Amino acid sequence: MAPEGRYHHGDLRRAVLAAAVEAIEERGLGLLSLRDVARRAGVSHTAPVHHFGDKAGMLTALATEGFDLLAQALDPGDGETIDLVDAGVIYVQFAVDHRAHFEVMFRPDLHHPDEPALAVARDRAGDLLTNAVVAATDTPPGQQTELASVAAWSLVHGFATLWLAGALPEQIGQDLQGSARSVAKLLFSVVHRSDT
Amino acid sequence: MAPEGRYHHGDLRRAVLAAAVEAIEERGLGLLSLRDVARRAGVSHTAPVHHFGDKAGMLTALATEGFDLLAQALDPGDGETIDLVDAGVIYVQFAVDHRAHFEVMFRPDLHHPDEPALAVARDRAGDLLTNAVVAATDTPPGQQTELASVAAWSLVHGFATLWLAGALPEQIGQDLQGSARSVAKLLFSVVHRSDT
DNA sequence: CGCTAATCTTACCATCGTTAAGATCAGATC
DNA sequence: GATCTGATCTTAACGATGGTAAGATTAGCG
């Protein structure tokens, strides 16, 4: 990936983010070291500074990339809205497939709080989720819809988070796909009862 | 709290855990420093080693204490089972009131994986949640009940986690109590629809 | 009182994140 | 093609961190 022996890497920003994902998946977010990331990318430990400023900047960029990937996975394109259950399954699948991204996305204590790109990416993904709820409820957006969206998001987010934490019983983990779909089907109950 | 000027602290284990909670609430789990915790407790930076072994040991103890506190909050005593909605509200309230504990509880990458006390405390809290679901569903425990429990837990856990991450809309945060109760009421839909 | 184990401190080491200074290089301009 | 300029990367250094080793202090118990 990295051109060997060259002073200028060529695409260090991307390489650093990829190395960070690799490091987080191997040793966990808590043990992430910027120097280790730089080593994996084959550059000196201060090279990432120029692209990200500091460690928090790198994690902010990683979180932004994560929200972009999630939005991309949730967006069927052509201005259409995704089915609610499908959206739920995709959300869980994303958390599992992009564990490193997902963990960083919801750790604002590790971010630069005032990074506009992060807010933009997060809002885009959030809007796609809300749209799926609105389409499923078939009622005009309002305060009830907002609560329904929050509840729906909470359900799939909680499921994904608990699975990542290894807190779910073994049976669930053995058939994660099926369990995720079963849980996602409950989104209908959550969304339709939330107006009572 | 700490007896001044004494060589032996007297209750350093408790003091260190309390200092860790304080430090996490102030600066976030990601920036937690063992030396800072020791400073807050008024001891040298290696004093906690004797009680916890290392940083992961301290966080494992903190997570265990968290599960114990949660179980205590969910246990009405006298062998009775708690109401499902009440349990949901209590869960969210616990996460907010004991933010530091809660965050550590679900970060197994920061724990000693084979600590028995942690597993015991976690299972006790988990059983209390499952009991509340079983009592509400009114059906014998089985695979469906397990899925219902997971879904119910996911809903409140996701809500709490998203709130802690600052990811929920402002309206929710302004009336967290009310929103938490509204979400907890949805537990009935989740639990009763999960057998279809 | 005296012994022992628990508790805590000081000294030290490798590693970490960050900053400052300088080296190297890509691309634009002439 | 030569030169200049800014972007990119490295080396060097600093304070802080987590962990280990050795020793000091003291509580509990005979």
Side-chain angles (χ1 to χ4, degrees):
Chain A
M1 175 175 293
E4 299 290 335
R6 303 210 315 173
Y7 195 99
H8 281 32
H9 181 283
D11 199 3
L12 183 58
R13 184 187 166 88
R14 192 180 308 269
V16 164
L17 292 179
V21 168
E22 188 180 284
I24 292 172
E25 286 174 352
E26 272 184 28
R27 325 203 323 187
L29 178 54
L31 302 177
L32 180 68
S33 150
L34 197 53
R35 288 173 110 107
D36 180 52
V37 169
R39 270 190 296 267
R40 290 170 188 263
V43 293
S44 80
H45 70 279
T46 56
V49 170
H50 183 262
H51 295 272
F52 302 105
D54 56 5
K55 187 179 182 182
M58 186 191 74
L59 293 176
T60 303
L62 198 60
T64 303
E65 188 180 64
F67 281 110
D68 280 337
L69 287 170
L70 176 60
Q72 186 178 335
L74 288 173
D75 192 350
D78 298 336
E80 304 201 2
T81 55
I82 194 171
D83 173 73
L84 182 59
V85 174
D86 288 346
V89 172
I90 287 175
Y91 192 93
V92 174
Q93 193 70 44
F94 174 84
V96 174
D97 290 343
H98 300 86
R99 169 181 198 130
H101 283 98
F102 189 80
E103 288 181 3
V104 175
M105 285 159 65
F106 298 98
R107 289 292 305 278
D109 57 322
L110 303 179
H111 300 161
H112 281 160
D114 299 328
E115 175 66 43
L118 176 60
V120 168
R122 176 172 44 212
D123 289 347
R124 177 168 166 239
D127 287 348
L128 286 166
L129 288 170
T130 302
N131 287 348
V133 171
V134 169
T137 52
D138 190 23
T139 57
Q143 191 166 353
Q144 295 305 333
T145 305
E146 178 159 90
L147 189 65
S149 294
V150 166
W153 188 14
S154 295
L155 179 63
V156 291
H157 185 81
F159 183 81
T161 301
L162 289 173
W163 186 85
L164 288 179
L168 294 185
E170 282 197 15
Q171 292 179 325
I172 301 293
Q174 284 175 358
D175 181 19
L176 182 64
Q177 298 265 358
S179 301
R181 180 154 286 274
S182 297
V183 169
K185 283 179 181 168
L186 298 174
L187 286 169
F188 273 118
S189 337
V190 165
V191 157
H192 288 136
R193 290 276 194 108
S194 67
D195 48 5
T196 62
Chain B
M1 178 174 293
E4 298 292 337
R6 303 212 313 172
Y7 195 99
H8 280 32
H9 181 282
D11 199 2
L12 184 57
R13 183 186 165 89
R14 192 181 308 270
V16 164
L17 292 178
V21 167
E22 188 181 283
I24 293 172
E25 286 175 351
E26 272 184 29
R27 326 202 326 187
L29 178 55
L31 302 177
L32 180 67
S33 148
L34 198 52
R35 287 174 109 106
D36 180 51
V37 170
R39 271 192 296 267
R40 290 170 189 262
V43 293
S44 79
H45 72 280
T46 55
V49 170
H50 183 262
H51 294 273
F52 303 105
D54 56 4
K55 188 179 182 181
M58 185 190 74
L59 293 176
T60 304
L62 197 61
T64 304
E65 187 179 65
F67 280 111
D68 281 336
L69 287 170
L70 176 61
Q72 187 177 334
L74 288 173
D75 192 351
D78 298 336
E80 304 202 0
T81 55
I82 194 170
D83 174 75
L84 181 60
V85 174
D86 288 345
V89 173
I90 287 175
Y91 193 93
V92 174
Q93 194 68 43
F94 174 85
V96 174
D97 290 342
H98 301 86
R99 172 183 196 128
H101 283 98
F102 189 80
E103 288 181 1
V104 175
M105 286 159 65
F106 298 96
R107 290 292 306 280
D109 56 322
L110 303 178
H111 300 161
H112 281 161
D114 299 329
E115 175 65 41
L118 177 60
V120 168
R122 176 173 44 214
D123 289 348
R124 174 163 168 242
D127 287 347
L128 287 166
L129 288 170
T130 302
N131 288 348
V133 171
V134 169
T137 53
D138 187 23
T139 58
Q143 191 166 354
Q144 295 305 335
T145 305
E146 178 159 271
L147 189 66
S149 294
V150 166
W153 189 14
S154 295
L155 180 63
V156 291
H157 185 82
F159 184 80
T161 301
L162 289 172
W163 186 86
L164 288 179
L168 295 184
E170 281 197 16
Q171 291 178 325
I172 301 293
Q174 283 174 358
D175 181 18
L176 181 64
Q177 298 266 357
S179 301
R181 180 152 285 273
S182 298
V183 169
K185 283 180 182 169
L186 298 174
L187 286 171
F188 273 118
S189 337
V190 165
V191 158
H192 288 136
R193 291 278 195 106
S194 68
D195 49 4
T196 61

